[in-house]
Amino acid sequence: MPAERRSDADGMAVASFVLGLLGLLVLNLVLGPMAIVLAALALWRGTTRRGRAALGLFLGVADLVVLAVLVGADGTVSWGLAG
């Protein structure tokens, strides 16, 4: 595999991790699926950062689970942290 393509895959793995982590805090519905897609693409393209991509995939799924739990508890399509 060309080094440029592997470098792109490594960048996708890191981006999926970062987006998945951010998605736990804000914009779960947008950042979660983005993290999942980037992680899947990174793994498919043969990233050398497989652990980072797997963690990004896990965090992307966790974003959607957190959103579903919070929306289910609140009964609305939006949620927020109430003080």
Side-chain angles (χ1 to χ4, degrees), residues 2-3 5 13 19 24 28-29 33 42 44 48 51 53 55-58 65 67 69-72 75 82-83:
R5 186 167 176 187
L19 290 176
L24 289 174
N28 312 61
L29 189 59
W44 183 71
T48 58
L55 192 53
L57 184 63
F58 172 77
V65 169
L67 178 65
V69 167
L70 291 174
V71 167

Side-chain angles (χ1 to χ4, degrees), residues 2 10 20 22-23 25-26 30 34 37 62-63 66 70-71 78:
D10 291 348
L22 285 174
L25 303 173
V26 294
V30 175
M34 287 175 65
V37 168
D63 292 347
V66 166
L70 291 174
V71 167
S78 63

Side-chain angles (χ1 to χ4, degrees), residues 42-66:
L43 290 169
W44 183 71
R45 290 185 175 187
T47 181
T48 58
R49 297 177 183 228
R50 294 185 61 79
R52 189 73 42 97
L55 192 53
L57 184 63
F58 172 77
L59 287 171
V61 171
D63 292 347
L64 298 178
V65 169
V66 166

